[in-house]
Amino acid sequence: MSTVRLVLWDIDHTLIATGGVGGEVFRAAFEEVTGGPMTRMAEVTGRTERVIFRETLELHGLEDPGDHFDRFAEAQARGYLERAEDMRRRGRALPGAPQALTALAGRGDIVQSVLTGNPRPSAVAKLQIFDLHRHIDFDSGAYGGDEEVRAKLVPIARARAKERHHLDFGVETTILIGDTPSDIQAALDGGALVIGVATGKSSPGELAEAGARHVLSDLSDTAALVRAVVTIEHPNDQTRNPV
């Protein structure tokens, strides 16, 4: 087993905040694809975009004939890029995110990618807008268009990273960094270590209770983040089986 570690970043409220633009882009893309107004939206937190889109369709009495989600994902990514200036004005890269990505990229024992509920085009667009894409190996990640169940994204990312880097990444060398109990649950159920960052709605205590091995208040302490990534270990008493 390789000692190189695969670090999978969540995006929203871990690396960036859209300042409300994300919801507006979702609405515009939904209305473009369906041809009608969006009056309600499914629950978002900790879920993949495929599930959010499908359930939002259901709230409007609609079904996906087969191409709606793919068209939605394309329209959504285009919407982010078209509103890049608005994103930068209202949103932001979260404190310490650029420095954290750069610090991990400077090590020879880290591969950085993403595990996110966003479809890949939107994930790339969001990070490009805030200039956070340079150190991310997007081909080693997993996205909201790949699977509905977030935990199933972990083995997808691990398999892609193995194919790309010719290295085996196991439970002990796959690390998810996220801001919600759902991120933590996905890591534990999917077979990964997890670092919680309390930059979203969840408190450090809630993230620790959910099972995060390390919890940071934010990413501003670069040394603490790097230390957590390189020292985190699989608990001896963990009994969960990966999906």
Side-chain angles (χ1 to χ4, degrees):
M1 185 67 66
S2 170
T3 58
V4 176
R5 297 197 161 198
L6 174 63
V7 174
L8 300 171
W9 289 94
D10 174 55
I11 294 177
D12 294 294
H13 304 294
T14 299
L15 291 173
I16 70 162
T18 68
V21 176
E24 295 168 8
V25 169
F26 185 103
R27 176 186 295 275
F30 182 91
E31 293 180 351
E32 176 182 328
V33 169
T34 64
M38 190 184 89
T39 59
R40 292 188 291 169
M41 185 175 181
E43 174 61 34
V44 173
T45 303
R47 313 177 82 200
T48 64
E49 205 83 331
R50 185 178 290 277
V51 172
I52 297 166
F53 179 74
R54 174 173 53 76
E55 292 190 0
T56 302
L57 283 176
E58 292 170 357
L59 289 173
H60 293 78
L62 301 172
E63 293 184 1
D64 188 341
D67 66 341
H68 272 15
F69 180 76
D70 290 340
R71 290 173 53 209
F72 165 81
E74 293 174 4
Q76 184 186 46
R78 185 174 67 250
Y80 280 120
L81 294 174
E82 290 172 350
R83 298 189 60 179
E85 289 303 319
D86 202 16
M87 279 270 284
R88 285 189 281 265
R89 179 175 58 84
R90 294 168 53 185
R92 59 177 179 152
L94 292 177
Q99 294 84 356
L101 291 167
T102 299
L104 292 179
R107 300 181 58 93
D109 57 352
I110 300 291
V111 172
Q112 290 188 94
S113 192
V114 293
L115 190 146
T116 174
N118 291 281
R120 177 169 173 160
S122 290
V124 174
K126 286 180 175 181
L127 294 183
Q128 284 179 337
I129 287 168
F130 292 106
D131 199 29
L132 297 179
H133 63 292
R134 301 179 186 277
H135 301 308
I136 297 293
D137 175 9
F138 289 101
D139 289 338
S140 294
Y143 305 89
D146 294 326
E147 263 287 352
E148 289 199 353
V149 179
R150 200 176 180 97
K152 292 183 178 180
L153 297 180
V154 176
I156 290 173
R158 196 154 44 216
R160 287 173 175 165
K162 178 179 179 179
E163 181 177 3
R164 182 162 171 76
H165 296 279
H166 308 291
L167 296 170
D168 286 318
F169 297 98
V171 176
E172 296 81 5
T173 54
T174 305
I175 303 161
L176 190 151
I177 303 176
D179 67 286
T180 71
S182 295
D183 293 326
I184 294 165
Q185 191 72 43
L188 297 177
D189 290 347
L193 302 169
V194 60
I195 297 171
V197 185
T199 44
K201 296 179 180 179
S202 300
S203 69
E206 289 170 332
L207 297 176
E209 185 178 353
R213 296 293 292 166
H214 292 280
V215 178
L216 305 174
S217 58
D218 57 29
L219 298 173
S220 59
D221 188 339
T222 305
L225 181 277
V226 173
R227 187 164 55 249
V229 167
V230 300
T231 64
I232 189 171
E233 294 181 352
H234 192 271
N236 291 331
D237 60 353
Q238 183 164 333
T239 58
R240 294 177 184 272
N241 294 316
V243 295

